mmCIF file of all heavy atoms in Angstrom:
data_model
loop_
_atom_site.group_PDB
_atom_site.id
_atom_site.type_symbol
_atom_site.label_atom_id
_atom_site.label_comp_id
_atom_site.label_asym_id
_atom_site.label_seq_id
_atom_site.Cartn_x
_atom_site.Cartn_y
_atom_site.Cartn_z
ATOM 1 N N ARG A 284 -19.221 9.192 -5.696
ATOM 2 C CA ARG A 284 -19.098 8.142 -6.655
ATOM 3 C C ARG A 284 -17.753 7.358 -6.382
ATOM 4 O O ARG A 284 -17.684 6.216 -6.564
ATOM 5 C CB ARG A 284 -19.078 8.707 -8.097
ATOM 6 C CG ARG A 284 -20.440 9.270 -8.441
ATOM 7 C CD ARG A 284 -20.544 9.256 -9.926
ATOM 8 N NE ARG A 284 -19.570 10.148 -10.685
ATOM 9 C CZ ARG A 284 -19.729 11.413 -10.941
ATOM 10 N NH1 ARG A 284 -20.900 12.073 -10.605
ATOM 11 N NH2 ARG A 284 -18.775 12.134 -11.539
ATOM 12 N N ALA A 285 -16.734 8.140 -6.124
ATOM 13 C CA ALA A 285 -15.475 7.528 -5.694
ATOM 14 C C ALA A 285 -15.595 6.573 -4.435
ATOM 15 O O ALA A 285 -15.003 5.526 -4.397
ATOM 16 C CB ALA A 285 -14.406 8.580 -5.469
ATOM 17 N N ARG A 286 -16.298 7.095 -3.505
ATOM 18 C CA ARG A 286 -16.529 6.303 -2.299
ATOM 19 C C ARG A 286 -17.354 5.017 -2.598
ATOM 20 O O ARG A 286 -17.038 3.911 -2.066
ATOM 21 C CB ARG A 286 -17.265 7.103 -1.205
ATOM 22 C CG ARG A 286 -16.431 8.119 -0.527
ATOM 23 C CD ARG A 286 -17.211 8.973 0.512
ATOM 24 N NE ARG A 286 -16.367 9.849 1.269
ATOM 25 C CZ ARG A 286 -16.642 11.047 1.517
ATOM 26 N NH1 ARG A 286 -17.792 11.507 1.268
ATOM 27 N NH2 ARG A 286 -15.762 11.690 2.270
ATOM 28 N N ALA A 287 -18.209 5.118 -3.454
ATOM 29 C CA ALA A 287 -18.982 3.938 -3.947
ATOM 30 C C ALA A 287 -18.070 2.875 -4.618
ATOM 31 O O ALA A 287 -18.252 1.676 -4.597
ATOM 32 C CB ALA A 287 -20.147 4.327 -4.870
ATOM 33 N N GLU A 288 -17.026 3.365 -5.370
ATOM 34 C CA GLU A 288 -16.058 2.521 -5.979
ATOM 35 C C GLU A 288 -15.215 1.849 -4.936
ATOM 36 O O GLU A 288 -14.844 0.648 -5.085
ATOM 37 C CB GLU A 288 -15.229 3.289 -6.990
ATOM 38 C CG GLU A 288 -14.223 2.462 -7.736
ATOM 39 C CD GLU A 288 -14.777 1.468 -8.717
ATOM 40 O OE1 GLU A 288 -16.013 1.372 -8.916
ATOM 41 O OE2 GLU A 288 -13.978 0.639 -9.284
ATOM 42 N N VAL A 289 -14.796 2.589 -3.973
ATOM 43 C CA VAL A 289 -14.053 2.035 -2.904
ATOM 44 C C VAL A 289 -14.898 0.845 -2.240
ATOM 45 O O VAL A 289 -14.383 -0.234 -1.954
ATOM 46 C CB VAL A 289 -13.594 3.072 -1.902
ATOM 47 C CG1 VAL A 289 -12.958 2.370 -0.628
ATOM 48 C CG2 VAL A 289 -12.545 3.978 -2.511
ATOM 49 N N GLN A 290 -16.144 1.131 -1.942
ATOM 50 C CA GLN A 290 -17.041 0.188 -1.204
ATOM 51 C C GLN A 290 -17.162 -1.036 -2.199
ATOM 52 O O GLN A 290 -17.220 -2.167 -1.661
ATOM 53 C CB GLN A 290 -18.375 0.801 -0.947
ATOM 54 C CG GLN A 290 -19.262 -0.124 -0.184
ATOM 55 C CD GLN A 290 -18.733 -0.478 1.108
ATOM 56 O OE1 GLN A 290 -18.570 0.467 1.995
ATOM 57 N NE2 GLN A 290 -18.573 -1.733 1.489
ATOM 58 N N ARG A 291 -17.225 -0.862 -3.478
ATOM 59 C CA ARG A 291 -17.446 -1.981 -4.444
ATOM 60 C C ARG A 291 -16.211 -2.892 -4.255
ATOM 61 O O ARG A 291 -16.456 -4.124 -4.249
ATOM 62 C CB ARG A 291 -17.554 -1.464 -5.856
ATOM 63 C CG ARG A 291 -17.817 -2.605 -6.904
ATOM 64 C CD ARG A 291 -18.013 -1.996 -8.268
ATOM 65 N NE ARG A 291 -16.726 -1.599 -8.836
ATOM 66 C CZ ARG A 291 -15.916 -2.355 -9.446
ATOM 67 N NH1 ARG A 291 -16.109 -3.730 -9.499
ATOM 68 N NH2 ARG A 291 -14.738 -1.924 -9.941
ATOM 69 N N HIS A 292 -15.087 -2.326 -4.405
ATOM 70 C CA HIS A 292 -13.921 -3.202 -4.178
ATOM 71 C C HIS A 292 -13.789 -3.894 -2.704
ATOM 72 O O HIS A 292 -13.430 -4.939 -2.646
ATOM 73 C CB HIS A 292 -12.579 -2.421 -4.355
ATOM 74 C CG HIS A 292 -12.336 -2.082 -5.914
ATOM 75 N ND1 HIS A 292 -11.761 -2.963 -6.679
ATOM 76 C CD2 HIS A 292 -12.558 -1.061 -6.539
ATOM 77 C CE1 HIS A 292 -11.616 -2.547 -7.918
ATOM 78 N NE2 HIS A 292 -12.133 -1.301 -7.793
ATOM 79 N N ALA A 293 -14.269 -3.166 -1.730
ATOM 80 C CA ALA A 293 -14.323 -3.776 -0.408
ATOM 81 C C ALA A 293 -15.370 -4.870 -0.372
ATOM 82 O O ALA A 293 -14.927 -5.982 0.248
ATOM 83 C CB ALA A 293 -14.614 -2.609 0.589
ATOM 84 N N ASP A 294 -16.433 -4.724 -0.968
ATOM 85 C CA ASP A 294 -17.456 -5.922 -1.051
ATOM 86 C C ASP A 294 -16.795 -7.094 -1.735
ATOM 87 O O ASP A 294 -17.068 -8.276 -1.329
ATOM 88 C CB ASP A 294 -18.691 -5.379 -1.705
ATOM 89 C CG ASP A 294 -19.405 -4.405 -0.897
ATOM 90 O OD1 ASP A 294 -19.287 -4.294 0.305
ATOM 91 O OD2 ASP A 294 -20.297 -3.741 -1.486
ATOM 92 N N LEU A 295 -16.074 -6.844 -2.785
ATOM 93 C CA LEU A 295 -15.384 -7.913 -3.538
ATOM 94 C C LEU A 295 -14.374 -8.659 -2.567
ATOM 95 O O LEU A 295 -14.288 -9.897 -2.507
ATOM 96 C CB LEU A 295 -14.674 -7.414 -4.745
ATOM 97 C CG LEU A 295 -15.582 -7.032 -5.884
ATOM 98 C CD1 LEU A 295 -14.628 -6.364 -6.983
ATOM 99 C CD2 LEU A 295 -16.321 -8.165 -6.598
ATOM 100 N N ALA A 296 -13.616 -7.817 -1.876
ATOM 101 C CA ALA A 296 -12.672 -8.374 -0.875
ATOM 102 C C ALA A 296 -13.403 -9.199 0.095
ATOM 103 O O ALA A 296 -12.955 -10.369 0.488
ATOM 104 C CB ALA A 296 -11.929 -7.231 -0.226
ATOM 105 N N LEU A 297 -14.395 -8.766 0.721
ATOM 106 C CA LEU A 297 -15.071 -9.489 1.825
ATOM 107 C C LEU A 297 -15.696 -10.814 1.206
ATOM 108 O O LEU A 297 -15.756 -11.725 1.899
ATOM 109 C CB LEU A 297 -16.159 -8.652 2.443
ATOM 110 C CG LEU A 297 -15.729 -7.395 3.215
ATOM 111 C CD1 LEU A 297 -16.932 -6.606 3.581
ATOM 112 C CD2 LEU A 297 -14.973 -7.779 4.496
ATOM 113 N N ALA A 298 -16.144 -10.712 -0.090
ATOM 114 C CA ALA A 298 -16.738 -11.940 -0.622
ATOM 115 C C ALA A 298 -15.629 -13.034 -0.778
ATOM 116 O O ALA A 298 -16.010 -14.291 -0.582
ATOM 117 C CB ALA A 298 -17.267 -11.611 -1.963
ATOM 118 N N HIS A 299 -14.440 -12.641 -0.949
ATOM 119 C CA HIS A 299 -13.383 -13.630 -1.090
ATOM 120 C C HIS A 299 -13.024 -14.357 0.249
ATOM 121 O O HIS A 299 -12.370 -15.306 0.345
ATOM 122 C CB HIS A 299 -12.040 -12.996 -1.625
ATOM 123 C CG HIS A 299 -12.114 -12.535 -3.050
ATOM 124 N ND1 HIS A 299 -12.464 -13.432 -4.027
ATOM 125 C CD2 HIS A 299 -11.867 -11.411 -3.659
ATOM 126 C CE1 HIS A 299 -12.386 -12.896 -5.163
ATOM 127 N NE2 HIS A 299 -12.107 -11.575 -4.972
ATOM 128 N N LEU A 300 -13.417 -13.709 1.379
ATOM 129 C CA LEU A 300 -13.255 -14.321 2.651
ATOM 130 C C LEU A 300 -14.283 -15.379 2.973
ATOM 131 O O LEU A 300 -14.022 -16.200 3.962
ATOM 132 C CB LEU A 300 -13.429 -13.277 3.791
ATOM 133 C CG LEU A 300 -12.297 -12.115 3.868
ATOM 134 C CD1 LEU A 300 -12.656 -11.157 5.096
ATOM 135 C CD2 LEU A 300 -10.940 -12.718 4.052
ATOM 136 N N GLU A 301 -15.370 -15.499 2.300
ATOM 137 C CA GLU A 301 -16.358 -16.471 2.572
ATOM 138 C C GLU A 301 -15.896 -17.905 2.862
ATOM 139 O O GLU A 301 -16.404 -18.536 3.714
ATOM 140 C CB GLU A 301 -17.450 -16.273 1.552
ATOM 141 C CG GLU A 301 -18.305 -14.993 1.608
ATOM 142 C CD GLU A 301 -18.907 -14.869 2.950
ATOM 143 O OE1 GLU A 301 -19.403 -15.804 3.633
ATOM 144 O OE2 GLU A 301 -18.994 -13.682 3.478
ATOM 145 N N PRO A 302 -15.019 -18.356 1.856
ATOM 146 C CA PRO A 302 -14.667 -19.810 1.936
ATOM 147 C C PRO A 302 -13.747 -20.060 3.177
ATOM 148 O O PRO A 302 -13.504 -21.229 3.648
ATOM 149 C CB PRO A 302 -13.775 -20.098 0.700
ATOM 150 C CG PRO A 302 -14.205 -18.927 -0.174
ATOM 151 C CD PRO A 302 -14.386 -17.729 0.753
ATOM 152 N N LEU A 303 -13.244 -19.002 3.833
ATOM 153 C CA LEU A 303 -12.282 -19.178 4.934
ATOM 154 C C LEU A 303 -13.037 -19.666 6.258
ATOM 155 O O LEU A 303 -14.085 -19.220 6.419
ATOM 156 C CB LEU A 303 -11.426 -17.959 5.180
ATOM 157 C CG LEU A 303 -10.658 -17.535 4.040
ATOM 158 C CD1 LEU A 303 -9.764 -16.249 4.470
ATOM 159 C CD2 LEU A 303 -9.548 -18.577 3.620
ATOM 160 N N PRO A 304 -12.437 -20.477 7.101
ATOM 161 C CA PRO A 304 -13.039 -20.843 8.266
ATOM 162 C C PRO A 304 -13.272 -19.672 9.317
ATOM 163 O O PRO A 304 -12.505 -18.765 9.282
ATOM 164 C CB PRO A 304 -12.045 -21.891 8.864
ATOM 165 C CG PRO A 304 -10.707 -21.603 8.199
ATOM 166 C CD PRO A 304 -11.011 -21.070 6.868
ATOM 167 N N GLU A 305 -14.356 -19.799 10.011
ATOM 168 C CA GLU A 305 -14.743 -18.680 10.904
ATOM 169 C C GLU A 305 -13.695 -18.644 12.081
ATOM 170 O O GLU A 305 -13.138 -19.751 12.390
ATOM 171 C CB GLU A 305 -16.140 -18.936 11.486
ATOM 172 C CG GLU A 305 -17.286 -18.983 10.474
ATOM 173 C CD GLU A 305 -17.432 -17.651 9.801
ATOM 174 O OE1 GLU A 305 -17.131 -16.626 10.377
ATOM 175 O OE2 GLU A 305 -17.848 -17.610 8.616
ATOM 176 N N GLY A 306 -13.646 -17.532 12.657
ATOM 177 C CA GLY A 306 -12.663 -17.396 13.770
ATOM 178 C C GLY A 306 -12.107 -15.989 13.810
ATOM 179 O O GLY A 306 -12.486 -15.107 12.969
ATOM 180 N N PRO A 307 -11.358 -15.695 14.810
ATOM 181 C CA PRO A 307 -10.778 -14.340 15.074
ATOM 182 C C PRO A 307 -10.048 -13.855 13.938
ATOM 183 O O PRO A 307 -10.024 -12.533 13.652
ATOM 184 C CB PRO A 307 -9.971 -14.353 16.395
ATOM 185 C CG PRO A 307 -9.791 -15.919 16.590
ATOM 186 C CD PRO A 307 -10.866 -16.609 15.904
ATOM 187 N N ALA A 308 -9.247 -14.635 13.152
ATOM 188 C CA ALA A 308 -8.396 -14.208 12.159
ATOM 189 C C ALA A 308 -9.294 -13.649 10.939
ATOM 190 O O ALA A 308 -9.074 -12.682 10.346
ATOM 191 C CB ALA A 308 -7.405 -15.284 11.596
ATOM 192 N N LYS A 309 -10.353 -14.392 10.739
ATOM 193 C CA LYS A 309 -11.287 -14.061 9.528
ATOM 194 C C LYS A 309 -12.042 -12.739 10.019
ATOM 195 O O LYS A 309 -12.171 -11.861 9.129
ATOM 196 C CB LYS A 309 -12.308 -15.143 9.325
ATOM 197 C CG LYS A 309 -13.298 -14.841 8.170
ATOM 198 C CD LYS A 309 -14.173 -16.023 7.989
ATOM 199 C CE LYS A 309 -15.139 -15.785 6.815
ATOM 200 N NZ LYS A 309 -15.948 -16.994 6.493
ATOM 201 N N ASP A 310 -12.346 -12.618 11.215
ATOM 202 C CA ASP A 310 -13.025 -11.423 11.739
ATOM 203 C C ASP A 310 -12.057 -10.135 11.746
ATOM 204 O O ASP A 310 -12.525 -9.077 11.245
ATOM 205 C CB ASP A 310 -13.445 -11.563 13.250
ATOM 206 C CG ASP A 310 -14.595 -12.622 13.542
ATOM 207 O OD1 ASP A 310 -15.229 -12.876 12.414
ATOM 208 O OD2 ASP A 310 -14.662 -13.087 14.493
ATOM 209 N N ALA A 311 -10.834 -10.527 11.872
ATOM 210 C CA ALA A 311 -9.770 -9.389 11.891
ATOM 211 C C ALA A 311 -9.543 -8.968 10.441
ATOM 212 O O ALA A 311 -9.391 -7.702 10.223
ATOM 213 C CB ALA A 311 -8.404 -9.938 12.543
ATOM 214 N N LEU A 312 -9.569 -9.889 9.428
ATOM 215 C CA LEU A 312 -9.395 -9.512 8.075
ATOM 216 C C LEU A 312 -10.554 -8.647 7.681
ATOM 217 O O LEU A 312 -10.420 -7.703 6.927
ATOM 218 C CB LEU A 312 -9.318 -10.731 7.163
ATOM 219 C CG LEU A 312 -7.989 -11.503 7.301
ATOM 220 C CD1 LEU A 312 -7.993 -12.757 6.559
ATOM 221 C CD2 LEU A 312 -6.728 -10.657 6.848
ATOM 222 N N ALA A 313 -11.792 -9.005 7.926
ATOM 223 C CA ALA A 313 -12.973 -8.251 7.635
ATOM 224 C C ALA A 313 -12.872 -6.839 8.227
ATOM 225 O O ALA A 313 -13.225 -5.874 7.631
ATOM 226 C CB ALA A 313 -14.219 -8.908 8.094
ATOM 227 N N LYS A 314 -12.425 -6.765 9.504
ATOM 228 C CA LYS A 314 -12.336 -5.430 10.173
ATOM 229 C C LYS A 314 -11.275 -4.619 9.460
ATOM 230 O O LYS A 314 -11.474 -3.389 9.322
ATOM 231 C CB LYS A 314 -11.937 -5.654 11.568
ATOM 232 C CG LYS A 314 -11.881 -4.356 12.474
ATOM 233 C CD LYS A 314 -11.573 -4.546 13.867
ATOM 234 C CE LYS A 314 -11.698 -3.337 14.665
ATOM 235 N NZ LYS A 314 -10.810 -2.184 14.204
ATOM 236 N N VAL A 315 -10.168 -5.240 9.089
ATOM 237 C CA VAL A 315 -9.115 -4.440 8.336
ATOM 238 C C VAL A 315 -9.709 -3.844 7.001
ATOM 239 O O VAL A 315 -9.569 -2.646 6.800
ATOM 240 C CB VAL A 315 -7.945 -5.375 7.931
ATOM 241 C CG1 VAL A 315 -7.078 -4.780 6.827
ATOM 242 C CG2 VAL A 315 -7.076 -5.769 9.213
ATOM 243 N N CYS A 316 -10.555 -4.625 6.300
ATOM 244 C CA CYS A 316 -11.116 -4.063 5.083
ATOM 245 C C CYS A 316 -12.168 -3.026 5.379
ATOM 246 O O CYS A 316 -12.085 -1.963 4.726
ATOM 247 C CB CYS A 316 -11.809 -5.264 4.520
ATOM 248 S SG CYS A 316 -12.624 -4.839 2.877
ATOM 249 N N ASN A 317 -12.937 -3.234 6.380
ATOM 250 C CA ASN A 317 -13.982 -2.194 6.764
ATOM 251 C C ASN A 317 -13.321 -0.887 7.318
ATOM 252 O O ASN A 317 -13.847 0.232 6.979
ATOM 253 C CB ASN A 317 -15.146 -2.789 7.635
ATOM 254 C CG ASN A 317 -15.941 -3.731 6.965
ATOM 255 O OD1 ASN A 317 -16.309 -3.566 5.774
ATOM 256 N ND2 ASN A 317 -16.209 -4.843 7.582
ATOM 257 N N ASP A 318 -12.316 -1.058 8.053
ATOM 258 C CA ASP A 318 -11.633 0.169 8.567
ATOM 259 C C ASP A 318 -11.052 1.022 7.421
ATOM 260 O O ASP A 318 -11.046 2.206 7.490
ATOM 261 C CB ASP A 318 -10.452 -0.255 9.532
ATOM 262 C CG ASP A 318 -10.995 -0.663 10.903
ATOM 263 O OD1 ASP A 318 -12.269 -0.533 11.135
ATOM 264 O OD2 ASP A 318 -10.264 -1.255 11.673
ATOM 265 N N LEU A 319 -10.557 0.299 6.406
ATOM 266 C CA LEU A 319 -9.961 1.151 5.225
ATOM 267 C C LEU A 319 -11.007 1.856 4.543
ATOM 268 O O LEU A 319 -10.819 3.008 4.076
ATOM 269 C CB LEU A 319 -9.314 0.113 4.306
ATOM 270 C CG LEU A 319 -7.992 -0.506 4.666
ATOM 271 C CD1 LEU A 319 -7.617 -1.592 3.574
ATOM 272 C CD2 LEU A 319 -6.975 0.461 4.807
ATOM 273 N N VAL A 320 -12.245 1.342 4.486
ATOM 274 C CA VAL A 320 -13.313 2.018 3.910
ATOM 275 C C VAL A 320 -13.735 3.224 4.698
ATOM 276 O O VAL A 320 -13.941 4.360 4.250
ATOM 277 C CB VAL A 320 -14.567 1.103 3.624
ATOM 278 C CG1 VAL A 320 -15.739 1.955 3.135
ATOM 279 C CG2 VAL A 320 -14.186 0.016 2.732
ATOM 280 N N SER A 321 -13.759 2.996 5.995
ATOM 281 C CA SER A 321 -14.333 4.017 7.015
ATOM 282 C C SER A 321 -13.414 5.219 6.911
ATOM 283 O O SER A 321 -13.937 6.381 7.152
ATOM 284 C CB SER A 321 -14.425 3.425 8.365
ATOM 285 O OG SER A 321 -15.320 2.353 8.424
ATOM 286 N N ARG A 322 -12.099 5.014 6.845
ATOM 287 C CA ARG A 322 -11.221 6.169 6.973
ATOM 288 C C ARG A 322 -11.362 7.136 5.801
ATOM 289 O O ARG A 322 -10.971 8.253 5.883
ATOM 290 C CB ARG A 322 -9.832 5.719 7.020
ATOM 291 C CG ARG A 322 -9.129 5.151 5.773
ATOM 292 C CD ARG A 322 -7.825 4.446 6.066
ATOM 293 N NE ARG A 322 -7.205 4.087 4.695
ATOM 294 C CZ ARG A 322 -6.111 4.571 4.346
ATOM 295 N NH1 ARG A 322 -5.451 5.485 5.111
ATOM 296 N NH2 ARG A 322 -5.509 4.153 3.182
ATOM 297 N N SER A 323 -11.983 6.808 4.699
ATOM 298 C CA SER A 323 -12.173 7.782 3.595
ATOM 299 C C SER A 323 -13.577 8.307 3.532
ATOM 300 O O SER A 323 -13.981 9.088 2.661
ATOM 301 C CB SER A 323 -11.912 7.056 2.317
ATOM 302 O OG SER A 323 -12.791 5.972 2.006
#
Side-chain angles (χ1 to χ4, degrees):
R284 293 205 299 270
R286 285 176 173 146
E288 179 67 6
V289 171
Q290 185 63 59
R291 185 179 73 83
H292 283 281
D294 290 342
L295 290 171
L297 293 172
H299 289 306
L300 292 180
E301 288 302 322
L303 298 181
E305 299 297 331
K309 184 174 180 177
D310 293 342
L312 287 174
K314 184 176 187 303
V315 165
C316 182
N317 288 319
D318 284 350
L319 287 174
V320 175
S321 297
R322 71 193 187 115
S323 63

